[in-house]
Amino acid sequence: MKIYVTRRIPDAGIKLLEGHEVDVYEGSTPIPRKLLAEKVADADALIPLLSDQIDAELMEAAPKLKVIANYAVGYDNVDIDAATKRGIVVTNTPDVLTDATAELAWALLFAAARRIGEAERFTRAGRFSGWGPMLLLGQGIRGKTLGVIGAGRIGTRFALGSRGFEMKVFYYDQERNETLEQELGAKKVDISYLMHEADFVSIHLPLTQETKHLIDAHQLFRMKPTAVLINTSRGPIVDEKALVAALRAGKLAVAGLDVYEREPDISAEFFEMENVVLAPHIGSATHQTRGAMAELCAYAVLKVFGGEMPSNIVNREVWSKRR
Ligand code: DGY
């Protein structure tokens, strides 16, 4: 079988595919679309990145494709309906990146609250001339209110991390989350209330038509002027232009961002602003996690080749009409 991988991923995954013909794109930026269309022409499986748009047109160019094992938990880059229509199985990488992404959200929260990015730039610039009572004051965390938008796997793990800080926790989700309610006394609230009440807001939703720009100017303008906004999910959930305006107007204090509306482009204004911490989409970037993601993709491909349904399939309904 032929497997096309759109970027070098950890060997742990590639090794599992031994015995098959594996072709890996060796570039360090996203594979050009035209080349990808050529490469999938005779591929039985595709392992793409979240930055590759796998749409109906591309699938048309891949008549033998049986499985798309997306190297990410989010799969908004894959047209699921188009894949299902063509009998192509789509899988993602759940669970193995839950801790890493929740930990990065906390890292950004601490960095934003305590102005770590700004402090680092200040120190490196040689501007530290001695301890100062008013130097780089930030926001304390213990006892504050945490607002978690999206209480799935990552949102839940992130919220549970607040235990040591005795925080009051509100969450917004369509489903009730009994773990959070029982373990933290968390309360399910509507999004406007959460934005108004929380000192720290962290977003953990998938990108869908419903969640695009969920955090718009109206929601941002509800925030406390001391509040911190963290996004490690998908950029387009936040209206980036509105966020720039809200930060400039002091409608919230700081944002910590790992994801952007038009990746890899980032609103130029952010580079001029001290009250935003910027990371380059590294939520799942630990050695352990990226290795486990590679293995999960490889196992999914092998299962489909072997006629077994992978547990991480995202379009279950395709199974009866697969190629
Ligand atoms: C994912 O897997 O969806 C993450 O955004 C990758 O870091």
Side-chain angles (χ1 to χ4, degrees), residues 50 72-74 93 97 233-234 281 283-284 290 293:
L50 57 89
V73 69
T93 61
L97 47 63
S233 58
R234 283 293 181 267
H281 204 148
S284 62
R290 289 284 167 84
M293 288 166 68

Side-chain angles (χ1 to χ4, degrees), residues 57-304:
E57 189 189 49
L58 196 94
M59 292 177 209
E60 278 305 303
K64 289 169 66 191
L65 202 61
K66 296 165 188 56
V67 50
I68 298 167
N70 205 39
Y71 189 70
V73 69
Y75 47 87
D76 47 277
N77 59 309
V78 182
D79 184 336
I80 300 297
D81 290 342
T84 306
K85 223 167 100 189
R86 288 166 178 78
I88 303 171
V89 172
V90 181
T91 64
N92 67 342
T93 61
D95 302 317
V96 295
L97 47 63
T98 299
D99 285 323
T101 310
E103 286 166 10
L104 188 85
W106 277 104
L108 285 175
L109 189 151
F110 284 116
R114 296 300 302 273
R115 302 170 66 178
I116 301 295
E118 207 181 335
E120 227 250 351
R121 287 188 289 278
F122 175 91
T123 312
R124 278 182 190 269
R127 292 171 59 201
F128 180 43
S129 55
W131 188 87
M134 303 304 282
L135 182 63
L136 288 163
L137 308 187
Q139 307 292 336
I141 292 166
R142 183 174 302 278
K144 296 276 181 67
T145 299
L146 185 65
V148 182
I149 299 183
R153 283 178 289 249
I154 299 171
T156 299
R157 192 64 54 85
F158 169 79
L160 290 173
S162 71
R163 269 189 288 222
F165 296 97
E166 296 154 7
M167 300 175 92
K168 181 171 176 178
V169 179
F170 290 133
Y171 71 95
Y172 167 76
D173 201 286
Q174 286 180 351
E175 310 286 327
R176 265 192 68 192
N177 185 316
E178 288 182 18
T179 306
L180 293 187
E181 294 187 11
Q182 281 160 17
E183 303 237 349
L184 302 174
K187 237 177 113 180
K188 180 173 179 305
V189 295
D190 73 47
I191 193 150
S192 303
Y193 184 82
L194 182 148
M195 295 300 282
H196 190 256
E197 294 297 314
D199 297 297
F200 300 96
V201 174
S202 189
I203 305 169
H204 301 281
L205 288 170
L207 175 62
T208 63
Q209 282 188 348
E210 291 72 43
T211 63
K212 180 160 191 245
H213 282 192
L214 180 71
I215 306 303
D216 59 6
H218 294 290
Q219 295 299 351
L220 292 166
F221 276 50
R222 288 197 165 96
M223 294 184 85
K224 297 180 183 179
T226 50
V228 172
L229 177 74
I230 304 300
N231 191 8
T232 53
S233 58
R234 283 293 181 267
I237 294 173
V238 178
D239 178 342
E240 205 165 286
K241 215 165 147 207
L243 178 60
V244 169
L247 282 164
R248 279 193 168 149
K251 297 291 173 190
L252 69 159
V254 203
L257 306 175
D258 186 43
V259 289
Y260 306 91
E261 203 171 336
R262 286 167 290 275
E263 290 181 19
D265 293 338
I266 298 181
S267 295
E269 295 90 333
F270 285 149
F271 295 113
E272 312 291 317
M273 297 164 80
E274 287 290 13
N275 57 343
V276 56
V277 181
L278 305 173
H281 204 148
I282 53 170
S284 62
T286 67
H287 293 290
Q288 300 83 348
T289 294
R290 289 284 167 84
M293 288 166 68
E295 286 177 354
L296 210 49
C297 288
Y299 282 130
V301 167
L302 295 176
K303 280 218 161 164
V304 174

